[in-house]
Amino acid sequence: MKRELEACFEAALGRLGWPAPSSSLIERPREAGHGEYSSHVALRLAKSLRQSPLAIAQTIVSNLELGSHIERIAIEPPGFINLHVSQEALLQELSRMLDETRPYGHSPPGVTRVLIEFVSANPNGPLHIGHGRGAAFGDALARVLEATGTRVEREYYVNDAGRQMDILALSVWIRYREILSQATLPFPSAGYQGDYIRDLAARLAEAEGPRFLRDDDRVPEPPDIPGGDDPDRHIDARIALMKTTLGAGDYSAVLDFARGEMLEIIRQDLLQFGVRYDRFYSERSLYSGGQVDELIRLLEERHETYHQDGALWFRASAHGDEKDRVLMRSNGAYTYFAPDLAYHLDKVRRGYDRLINVLGSDHHGYAPRIRAGLEALGEDPGRLEVLLVQFAVLYRGGQRVQMSTRSGSFVTLRELVDEVGRDAARFFYVMRSEAQHLDFDLDLAKSQSQDNPVYYVQYAHARIASLFRECAERGVNPDLLDRQAWERLDQPLERTLLTTLIRYPEILEQAASGSAPHLVAQYLRETAQAFHAYYHAVPLLIEEQSLRNARLSLCAATRLVLADGLSLLGVSAPLKM
């Protein structure tokens, strides 16, 4: 309806020869009683037209052709145009809600293709609660985009070619040797020290036995204490010695085992969280497939590189980045930027209209350098949209829970889901903008009260389900399409609930266009509030058949909208609670 009203206002301005402002012409009024829609276009045109806003508003209203869906227009100082939706229009929308050919507010599949890359955590440890927020946000955004007609593919970029994989392999190997030799071996402070490393090592020992033990695998111990001289240098030396001791074949076997096991753990955690991907894209494949070498060649051919201090540099500053970026270090090793840019070039070549990357807030410098690289390669950098997800801080009993991947002192996503449930975890993660910090209160998430937002919304759905169970128990078969009965939905709380429900298509459009699935979560809370108020104030299972049909039709529509909104957030709509 909002889109139809905007078209009417644009037509009126066109007839008057007046310019239409670039921003939305229609919005929701801030105060109850001022109608369902409002426009302050007159205020925005006053300066350019050199007329009073009230006079401009009156002229616009005189040229509007709104039809029967608006029953009253009110001009309020200093120039607002408030629109009151007719009962006929509300009931037309109710009919659409109960039409099961397509969920209310959804659009038919279009042609726009979007690739969303999200989570993409290094496979060197289990997903923790910070990754969980990115997973919930990315998947909810994908679902919202699909609901509004976009063809979406979900992708996980596996960083499996860097130094962190060597550290993972070394950490697992040391624990593996401990298990088989039943001796405590020196462990580097820069290694991964969580219990999951011992679990991986135990699986390696079970699968391969003593294959990776060596008689000469004692490792000299340089100083390596917390705060010591150089723990990174020490672990690099340990990695080099491991490669020499095992040989290329067995070293690769240990690394591949650790990588594969860790990646499978991540897959399963995401599936448990309700997140499925179309593909897991390996960074290694960019090297084996020659894409990184091709990238360097393309940049060199376009004169976008230069050599300095033995390293190969990309002229990123010439394309909007704050400084130039190293592609290859003086020792011949590629930086992370080289495969990342090759990966995005591959994304573009796959023909997507939009590339959405959901990253952690510590990647704030990521977008400018990738956009610079795409521009240097002759591609449109505007295709790339980078959304930064702020940190999630976990609280239990009012106390903050600390996390550290290397020390192993962290709360995993799996542990969070086991404790509060998938529904609460996903709803809490997306109930505010990804750009805002999130304090995740475990105690609130587990509570069964109206203060718990997911419980409050799900309870509204379950309450409606219980109404229809009670109908069945009484032998009542309500006619939910008794359109003549709908005319009796004239209570103030019924109009409030109806006008809340008709906002759903607008919410989906705003959530999709603004990459803001939190708008759906906020809307669901408002809808649940409107229903709970209606449920407590208006008798529903009454004897009078016509009025009962009408009220149960409104309840059924509410249930459909709640269920659909919850599904877009990856949250269930329970029938009982």
Side-chain angles (χ1 to χ4, degrees):
M1 187 175 294
K2 179 181 178 182
R3 188 182 299 172
E4 295 174 4
L5 291 174
E6 287 186 331
C8 292
F9 271 75
E10 288 174 357
L13 293 175
R15 285 189 287 271
L16 291 166
W18 290 351
S22 57
S23 56
S24 178
L25 296 173
I26 301 296
E27 58 187 22
R28 290 283 173 177
R30 295 181 179 178
E31 297 184 26
H34 285 189
E36 285 69 50
Y37 297 97
S38 181
S39 176
H40 60 278
V41 61
L43 298 170
R44 284 145 57 185
L45 291 175
K47 184 176 181 180
S48 61
L49 296 179
R50 297 183 180 180
Q51 297 182 38
S52 74
L54 285 172
I56 294 172
Q58 187 60 58
T59 302
I60 292 173
V61 169
S62 299
N63 284 270
L64 281 174
E65 297 178 0
L66 294 175
S68 61
H69 50 293
I70 297 298
E71 67 179 8
R72 184 165 65 91
I73 303 177
I75 299 175
E76 303 287 347
F80 293 103
I81 302 173
N82 295 330
L83 309 169
H84 297 257
V85 177
S86 67
Q87 180 76 350
E88 176 185 348
L90 291 176
L91 297 184
Q92 286 177 352
E93 292 300 304
L94 178 59
S95 179
R96 292 181 185 177
M97 295 173 208
L98 296 173
D99 182 358
E100 296 182 358
T101 56
R102 182 184 299 122
Y104 183 63
H106 287 221
S107 303
V111 298
T112 302
R113 296 180 63 215
V114 172
L115 179 67
I116 300 184
E117 179 211 333
F118 60 108
V119 183
S120 296
N122 294 338
N124 58 358
L127 299 178
H128 56 61
I129 65 164
H131 300 131
R133 190 178 189 190
F137 171 78
D139 189 54
L141 176 57
R143 293 172 187 237
V144 168
L145 288 171
E146 287 172 332
T148 51
T150 301
R151 296 166 60 193
V152 177
E153 293 181 30
R154 300 159 173 83
E155 191 159 282
Y156 188 115
Y157 181 58
V158 184
N159 294 104
D160 55 1
R163 178 172 176 265
Q164 77 280 352
M165 299 308 298
D166 289 329
I167 299 175
L168 175 66
L170 176 66
S171 302
V172 170
W173 186 54
I174 292 175
R175 297 305 187 198
Y176 159 87
R177 290 158 58 208
E178 286 182 357
I179 291 171
L180 293 183
S181 66
Q182 297 183 344
T184 301
L185 301 174
F187 197 91
S189 63
Y192 300 129
Q193 303 181 43
D195 289 340
Y196 69 95
I197 295 295
R198 297 183 185 275
D199 294 337
L200 293 179
R203 294 180 201 173
L204 179 61
E206 181 180 359
E208 298 290 347
R211 171 184 169 185
F212 304 115
L213 292 181
R214 298 291 186 272
D215 294 335
D216 57 346
D217 64 354
R218 294 183 179 180
V219 181
E221 269 304 290
D224 182 37
I225 58 175
D229 293 335
D230 195 345
D232 285 332
R233 183 178 178 183
H234 171 250
I235 199 169
D236 287 341
R238 294 283 293 270
I239 290 169
L241 187 54
M242 173 188 175
K243 291 180 179 180
T244 300
T245 301
L246 287 179
D250 278 357
Y251 166 75
S252 295
V254 173
L255 188 150
D256 289 344
F257 180 90
R259 170 196 176 276
E261 290 289 311
M262 201 66 257
L263 190 56
E264 184 58 27
I265 290 171
I266 289 173
R267 288 179 193 264
Q268 292 303 319
D269 286 353
L270 289 167
L271 285 173
Q272 182 187 8
F273 201 48
V275 178
R276 295 180 180 272
Y277 286 88
D278 294 284
R279 73 188 59 84
F280 283 72
Y281 192 110
S282 169
E283 180 186 356
R284 287 183 178 184
S285 68
L286 294 168
Y287 291 98
S288 62
Q291 288 100 317
V292 176
D293 291 336
E294 182 192 10
L295 169 75
I296 300 301
R297 178 180 58 79
L298 290 173
L299 290 174
E300 289 178 335
E301 288 177 353
R302 300 175 74 90
H303 306 289
E304 297 288 355
T305 63
Y306 63 91
H307 289 85
Q308 181 177 306
D309 300 328
L312 181 65
W313 292 73
F314 163 55
R315 302 182 190 276
S317 60
H319 299 279
D321 197 5
E322 62 180 1
K323 61 182 180 180
D324 291 348
R325 303 291 176 176
V326 177
L327 291 164
M328 182 185 294
R329 299 185 181 92
S330 57
N331 63 1
Y334 287 114
T335 63
Y336 286 119
F337 174 62
D340 281 352
L341 183 53
Y343 172 49
H344 283 80
L345 178 60
D346 180 72
K347 286 184 180 182
V348 170
R349 287 175 170 176
R350 282 186 267 162
Y352 299 103
D353 300 290
R354 289 174 63 194
L355 307 175
I356 300 177
N357 289 10
V358 179
L359 304 173
S361 59
D362 54 342
H363 289 75
H364 55 85
Y366 186 86
R369 71 188 68 169
I370 296 296
R371 289 197 182 103
L374 291 176
E375 182 177 276
L377 292 164
E379 302 293 348
D380 178 14
R383 288 194 200 182
L384 177 63
E385 178 182 359
V386 176
L387 303 172
L388 301 182
V389 178
Q390 292 294 324
F391 295 111
V393 179
L394 186 66
Y395 285 85
R396 180 185 286 112
Q399 298 296 316
R400 178 172 177 169
V401 179
Q402 300 295 328
M403 302 191 315
S404 171
T405 304
R406 283 198 171 178
S407 70
S409 175
F410 60 92
V411 177
T412 67
L413 177 60
R414 181 176 297 184
E415 290 170 333
L416 176 67
V417 172
D418 288 344
E419 182 166 349
V420 305
R422 184 172 84 182
D423 289 344
R426 290 197 60 144
F427 197 97
F428 268 60
Y429 273 134
V430 298
M431 66 184 181
R432 63 184 58 184
S433 168
E434 85 288 350
Q436 295 179 309
H437 287 275
L438 175 66
D439 291 339
F440 195 114
D441 188 333
L442 280 171
D443 301 316
L444 178 61
K446 292 185 290 185
S447 69
Q448 296 186 358
S449 71
Q450 65 179 13
D451 294 328
N452 180 350
V454 65
Y455 179 85
Y456 188 66
V457 174
Q458 288 181 317
Y459 189 48
H461 183 273
R463 255 184 172 163
I464 298 172
S466 71
L467 286 173
F468 287 94
R469 280 198 303 275
E470 189 171 347
C471 284
E473 292 168 0
R474 295 184 183 184
V476 173
N477 185 23
D479 181 2
L480 302 181
L481 297 179
D482 185 355
R483 288 168 172 78
Q484 185 175 359
W486 295 352
E487 298 289 343
R488 304 187 63 183
L489 294 172
D490 54 7
Q491 295 287 328
L493 287 176
E494 289 167 341
R495 182 177 179 90
T496 297
L497 183 52
L498 270 171
T499 55
T500 301
L501 293 176
I502 69 171
R503 291 175 50 209
Y504 188 53
E506 302 162 22
I507 294 296
L508 293 187
E509 288 186 6
Q510 292 170 12
S513 62
S515 299
H518 69 278
L519 296 179
V520 177
Q522 293 173 358
Y523 167 80
L524 290 175
R525 295 176 71 178
E526 295 173 17
T527 304
Q529 182 179 25
F531 172 76
H532 286 307
Y534 179 54
Y535 178 89
H536 286 298
V538 179
L540 301 174
L541 299 183
I542 57 178
E543 292 297 325
E544 187 180 350
Q545 181 178 353
S546 176
L547 187 55
R548 183 181 65 216
N549 284 345
R551 290 177 176 173
L552 288 177
S553 297
L554 179 55
C555 291
T558 304
R559 176 181 172 181
L560 289 172
V561 169
L562 288 173
D564 188 70
L566 287 169
S567 72
L568 296 184
L569 302 182
V571 178
S572 69
L575 301 179
K576 293 182 180 180
M577 293 185 70

